[in-house]
Amino acid sequence: MAAAWGSSLAAVALRAVTPWRRSSRLLAASSRPRVDREASSSSPQAGEGQIHLTDSCVQRLLEITQGSEFLRLEVEGGGCSGFQYRFSLDTVINPDDRVFEQGGARVVVDSDSLAFVKGAQVDFIQELIRSSFQVLNNPQAETGCSCGSSFSVKL
């Protein structure tokens, strides 16, 4: 029994450290070295209504996007704190979208979502248990959950 338990535990541990396949493009681990997460402006006139992209976010977007693809950031109701961030790859820019571009990488936010994330920073985080895009330093958020995917709004 102990030998069977030990071998299944080893199999689980091996799966935990095995990199994801390329098909999961948003969450796949990068083969490039990690860059410092220094905040960078999305335009020369960075202001309150801007979204800031970190160097690691720009680098990861350049790795995973093809052609006219960009990262879309949306805010929707839900999550453990009331609102949650949603990231997806997209190719269609709508009339109410704001485009934030830096170094060839683009993040697009619709006008409704922008009200909840203006002044925030988009980063790409790589950890042992996951790799993901995250919103950091959101001045519109009062509190957030521990995983960083949901938040409550300042009133």
Side-chain angles (χ1 to χ4, degrees):
M1 173 80 174
W5 172 255
S7 65
S8 71
L9 185 59
V12 168
L14 181 59
R15 281 194 303 269
V17 297
T18 305
W20 291 291
R21 293 191 178 130
R22 176 79 173 144
S23 62
S24 180
R25 293 183 348 195
L26 281 179
L27 301 178
S30 172
S31 60
R32 293 186 183 176
R34 187 176 178 145
V35 212
D36 290 335
R37 280 187 230 120
E38 217 172 275
S40 300
S41 167
S42 59
S43 74
Q45 302 88 12
E48 185 71 18
Q50 298 290 315
I51 298 296
H52 308 279
L53 309 180
T54 64
D55 292 338
S56 62
C57 175
V58 170
Q59 177 183 343
R60 187 63 182 149
L61 283 173
L62 293 175
E63 291 173 358
I64 65 171
T65 54
Q66 301 168 356
S68 63
E69 282 183 319
F70 55 83
L71 183 69
R72 179 173 292 279
L73 167 59
E74 297 174 288
V75 174
E76 42 186 41
C80 54
S81 298
F83 292 93
Q84 61 188 1
Y85 304 112
R86 185 171 149 226
F87 291 98
S88 60
L89 289 179
D90 199 351
T91 57
V92 177
I93 297 177
N94 301 315
D96 71 328
D97 287 341
R98 283 271 312 267
V99 179
F100 301 95
E101 185 168 8
Q102 179 182 323
R106 295 185 300 165
V107 174
V108 174
V109 183
D110 64 89
S111 60
D112 292 336
S113 297
L114 185 60
F116 294 102
V117 295
K118 61 185 175 183
Q121 188 177 60
V122 178
D123 193 13
F124 180 74
I125 308 278
Q126 270 189 266
E127 299 170 337
L128 182 59
I129 59 171
R130 73 174 177 178
S131 299
S132 63
F133 289 100
Q134 291 186 353
V135 174
L136 304 176
N137 306 321
N138 184 354
Q140 311 310 315
E142 185 170 334
T143 60
C145 66
S146 61
C147 70
S149 63
S150 72
F151 66 101
S152 63
V153 180
K154 288 182 181 176
L155 299 176

